[in-house]
């Protein structure tokens, strides 16, 4: 009597139902994989991971409500070490960096060939960390240089009161969002301008405030004006 090896239990999380269903069909066609559940937000990812205990999660980054990075953070905060691979169209540096910092095990683009995707998923279960070839260089550069500095280049807090700025280094996206905060845009308006989720904007604002030792958006706007991110008349600051 022969015994088939257990299949890799996969949870798919993507807000695009058509893509999710198509991917599920491809996964289920693999002899060593099976889809055990689907979700459409980072919150779904946490809930279904708790309920289904998958071996692997394949998750999009940009989703409405709680995004993929939120989902990774929540799963790791809950103490679960389930393997997570981000599968996305986003080549944005910050989506990549934030996903990896949050605890994702890999970052692949949706234009990957199916056979390459499944080889990468199997590799993750062996302890590998697949990164899309076109964006792997960004991660290597960031590791070599300690992150992406914000404008101004060193952001040492010159001209800011004690307790503001310090040695903070913002990511490019944090600096971009700080500029839009200074222009008076709400999180919803910033999300629409940058084509990201409102939850992602909140995360970047929170991270920027922590790095700059600021308490709220008003302080952030004042700091952005002082540091030359934006002029007091509302025009763009130095680039």
């Amino acid at each position: 009597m022969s015994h088939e090896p257990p299949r890799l239990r996969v949870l798919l999380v993507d807000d695009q139902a058509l893509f999710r269903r198509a991917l599920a069909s491809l996964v289920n066609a693999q002899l060593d994989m099976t889809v055990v559940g689907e979700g459409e937000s980072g919150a779904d990812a946490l809930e279904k991971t708790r309920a289904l205990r998958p071996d692997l999660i394949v998750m999009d980054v940009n989703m409405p409500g709680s995004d993929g990075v939120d989902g990774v953070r929540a799963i790791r905060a809950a103490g679960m070490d389930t393997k997570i691979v981000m599968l996305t169209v986003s080549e944005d540096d910050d989506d990549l960096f934030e996903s990896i910092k949050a605890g994702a095990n890999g970052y692949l683009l949706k234009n990957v060939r199916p056979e390459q995707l499944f080889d990468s998923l199997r590799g993750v279960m062996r302890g590998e960390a697949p990164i899309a070839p076109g964006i792997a260089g960004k991660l290597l550069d960031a590791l070599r240089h300690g992150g992406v500095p914000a404008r101004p280049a060193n952001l040492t807090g010159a001209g800011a009161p004690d307790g503001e700025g310090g040695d903070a280094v913002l990511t490019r996206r944090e600096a971009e969002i700080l500029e839009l905060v200074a222009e008076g845009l709400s999180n919803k308006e910033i999300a629409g301008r940058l084509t990201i989720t409102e939850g992602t904007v909140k995360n970047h604002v929170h991270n920027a405030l922590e790095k700059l030792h600021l308490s709220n958006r008003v302080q952030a706007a004042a700091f952005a004006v002082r540091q030359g991110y934006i002029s007091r008349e509302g025009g763009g600051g130095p680039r």
Side-chain angles (χ1 to χ4, degrees):
M1 183 177 177
S2 63
H3 295 280
E4 292 185 4
R7 286 185 164 192
L8 184 63
R9 293 164 48 81
V10 182
L11 171 65
L12 302 180
V13 184
D14 194 298
D15 64 306
Q16 296 181 359
L18 186 61
F19 174 82
R20 197 173 64 239
R21 304 272 167 78
L23 181 57
S25 296
L26 291 172
V27 172
N28 286 327
Q30 304 301 303
L31 297 177
D32 57 345
M33 299 182 187
T34 185
V35 174
V36 296
E38 298 180 17
E40 55 185 24
S41 69
D44 278 352
L46 176 61
E47 178 184 345
K48 293 182 182 293
T49 299
R50 280 177 168 155
L52 301 171
R53 297 293 173 176
D55 302 306
L56 172 67
I57 302 167
V58 179
M59 182 154 53
D60 195 6
V61 174
N62 294 317
M63 296 180 286
S66 58
D67 62 19
V69 176
D70 294 331
V72 177
R73 288 197 184 105
I75 289 167
R76 296 303 183 229
M80 293 180 282
D81 60 359
T82 311
K83 302 291 188 183
I84 305 173
V85 174
M86 314 309 286
L87 183 61
T88 178
V89 297
S90 175
E91 299 184 53
D92 184 278
D93 292 9
D94 291 321
D95 285 341
L96 167 65
F97 300 148
E98 293 302 317
S99 295
I100 299 303
K101 286 193 294 183
N105 302 97
Y107 194 99
L108 300 172
L109 299 179
K110 286 183 176 178
N111 61 4
V112 65
R113 293 164 59 100
E115 57 270 27
Q116 292 174 324
L117 171 63
F118 296 125
D119 284 347
S120 294
L121 298 185
R122 295 180 184 106
V124 167
M125 301 309 297
R126 296 192 298 267
E128 298 172 9
I131 303 292
I135 58 177
K138 297 179 180 180
L139 187 57
L140 291 174
D141 286 343
L143 291 172
R144 291 189 187 107
H145 301 106
V148 181
R151 300 185 302 264
N154 58 5
L155 195 60
T156 56
D162 290 343
E164 293 186 7
D167 294 325
V169 177
L170 302 183
T171 66
R172 184 181 301 127
R173 180 51 61 86
E174 287 166 354
E176 183 177 23
I177 288 175
L178 183 62
E179 179 177 324
L180 296 176
V181 166
E183 290 180 8
L185 273 66
S186 67
N187 287 348
K188 183 176 182 180
E189 290 169 332
I190 294 172
R193 176 83 64 91
L194 301 180
T195 320
I196 57 179
T197 68
E198 196 169 344
T200 298
V201 174
K202 290 179 181 177
N203 286 337
H204 285 310
V205 171
H206 173 76
N207 292 340
L209 290 177
E210 281 201 337
K211 289 179 181 180
L212 298 172
H213 309 294
L214 302 174
S215 302
N216 53 54
R217 296 167 70 93
V218 175
Q219 290 182 4
F223 179 82
V225 170
R226 280 197 300 272
Q227 292 300 310
Y229 280 76
I230 185 169
S231 74
R232 299 179 191 276
E233 289 73 32
R239 296 283 186 248

